[in-house]
Every structure is written in structure tokens, then in C-alpha cells.
Amino acid sequence: MNPSSLSRRRFVRVGGITAAGAAAFACAPAATTPAPAAPGPGGANKPAWEQQWDDLVVAAKKEGTLVLVTAVGATFKDGVAAFEKAFSGITVEHTTANASAFAPKALQERKANLYTYDAITTTYGTLPLTMIPTGAMDPIRPLLFRPDVVEDNNWSDGFLKGFLDLDKKWGYSGFTEVTQSVWINTDLVKEGEIKSFDDLLNPKWKGKIIGGDPRVFGGGWWPGTAMRLKRGDDGLIKRVFKDQEVVLSRDARQMIELLIKGNYAVGYLSSTQTILPEFTNQGVGKNIKHIPIDEMDVQNAGRSVAYVFNQAPHPNAAKLFVNWLLTKEGSTIWSKVAQTNSRRSDVAPANPEVELKGRKLIHIDREELLPEWQKTQDIAKQVLN
């Protein structure tokens, strides 16, 4: 059996690969090389990049599969369906996962010589700290070649701004948003009771708050870091999380559900923009409301920072996907399913509610801030363990 022809599900069932199979993966071509200009319709020469694109589509369809991981959210399946429609003949094996839960699993698989994933769209932070240092990811920059993707004038703040790492080559952020961190149940919190960060420290809310755990990557991590940078350390993590007896969770969907049901009055949540529609589409969840708190809300790249895996089983499909994602067509579709806003200058905001609107928020997902993220975790582990 040829390992490169295995789907992810069939591959996992086999339970392993031979040394020769592993070598086959390692030697698979990373991408189709640019071809010279070829005759186009009417005898005119086709630009080299168009020929490269055509060749890439053919190669990706020959592979036939894209194994894609996205952030949690039911609507991402619509983006997957749009890609499959655009490139008939490619089947997407789609998994949703929080990066913090996915990364350890993927690294364990790689230790067992299981190379089953092609690309991932996720939040920034986990992969730079855990997977890139281990060699699990390949740089994405060499794969981006379409002029409408790499030219500065197509991006509101230039093409290079999408690279959040100092090397300007790993994951690419084609989107931007404001993470809405503080949510209330309007059945339990009266209008105007919580308007500022200090209101969250009111003893009235002690034991009535559920939140992401700042000891791990996720919902408590970003707001925990932001409030430290805005207000200083000085016991802040202890006062916000421990003294207020915040119930900590690592399950974003469960936290939203418990807030909707009234088990808690306040939630420090993540991924709400993509998960909440799962509830509102069923007629529930209209009783929770975001409260803008500048110490806890952050500007970020959303849940769609694109990365490609080292030794991907379908490298051409991965290359096709990340280029498509950053085109006008792909960005328009993906921003709607992710409820985020494209950085492209020719794509209208899909969710005006998560724009900056003049707010001065910390741009949290930048490589130079990773030490601060780690410091938040270290403090939280000391205080909350």
C-alpha cells in the first residue's frame, strides 16, 4: 500500500508506517516549481504565476485530499465546503480543535512517525511556542506566490504585517479582530452594573464568574496578559481569578453554555464569536452580552492564522489552500465563517462589532510579547495551583 495515498482516517487505522513509507513522505515534493510562460487563450503568453497556479491545481487534485485543522466553531465547515466547491476533486478531511489541545496530540503522533496533517488555521501563540521549535511546521512564506496575495497594495497595512513572527516567514495572519473577553448574562447582571475593569472586582460577583484558565493557552491567557500589561503585575492575577473565586475551564463551548443557562453571571470567554451562533441559531443565547473592557479585550489575528505542516502528506493541496485563503475570494468567504475581518483592502468587514473603532488595545499576538504570555502562565500557576 502506498502511504502517500492513504486518507487520514485510513492512515490512522493502519496504526503506523514502515521506514520506507516514512522516507516517502519525507521525500515528497514540497510544491510545484514555477513554470515559464505558456501560450494562453488567443495565443497570448500566460503570466508565469498563472501557469504555476494551474500546475498547482492539477497537482493538488492528483493528491485528492487536504487534511485541515481549524479552530473550534461549526461555521468553519462552510469555509471548507467553499474550498471543495472551488477545487472539485479535492476532499477536505476537516477537524476542529483548540490549538492548546491539538498541539500535544499532533506532537505525539509525529514522534510515532505519523505525519497526517497538511495545514491548520488557528490562533497565534501555541504553535510558535510548541510546534515550530520542534520542526513540526514549515515556513509558509515560500509557498505564497500569487501577485494578488503578496502585493502590498492589496492589504490595509501591507503584506508583511501578516507575519507575526520576527522572521516574517512562519504563520500568516490574513485577518484581524478584537477578542471580546468579558460577557455577562443579562438576566443576572443589571444594565450598568459592570462597565469597567474595577467593577469585575466587586465582591458581589465572587463565585459567580466562569473563565478560561490562565495557566494554559486559551481564554484566560490573553486577557490575563493584557490586564497585566495595562495595570501591572502587583498581585493582579490573584485578585481577579483567585480572590473572586473564578471557576476555571478549558472548554470554551461549555463555558458559553453555562453562562447562557445562568449558572454564572459573568464569563471570561474565548472563541465566542464563532461558537455563540451555534446557540443563537437554536433560539438561545440572546441573554448574553459583551461588555467592552480595555484591560481584557485585545487586538489579535483571530482564529485563522494559517500554518503548514512539515512532511505534509498532501503538500500541493496545503499550498493551494493557503494561497486561496488569502485571495479576495477566499478571504471574503473565510472572514464570514470565522466572523472576523479580512486585512485585505478589497474585502468589507464581515463583523463590524469586532473592529477597533478607535479603541487603544494591546496587539497581543506578536512574537515580542511571547515572554509576557509565559510570565502570565508562570504567575497563574503559582497563584492558582
Side-chain angles (χ1 to χ4, degrees), residues 77-92:
K77 70 180 186 301
D78 298 328
V80 167
F83 177 78
E84 289 180 321
K85 183 178 180 180
F87 303 100
S88 177
I90 301 176
T91 299
V92 180

Side-chain angles (χ1 to χ4, degrees), residues 24-45:
F25 274 124
C27 296
T32 306
T33 56
N45 284 337

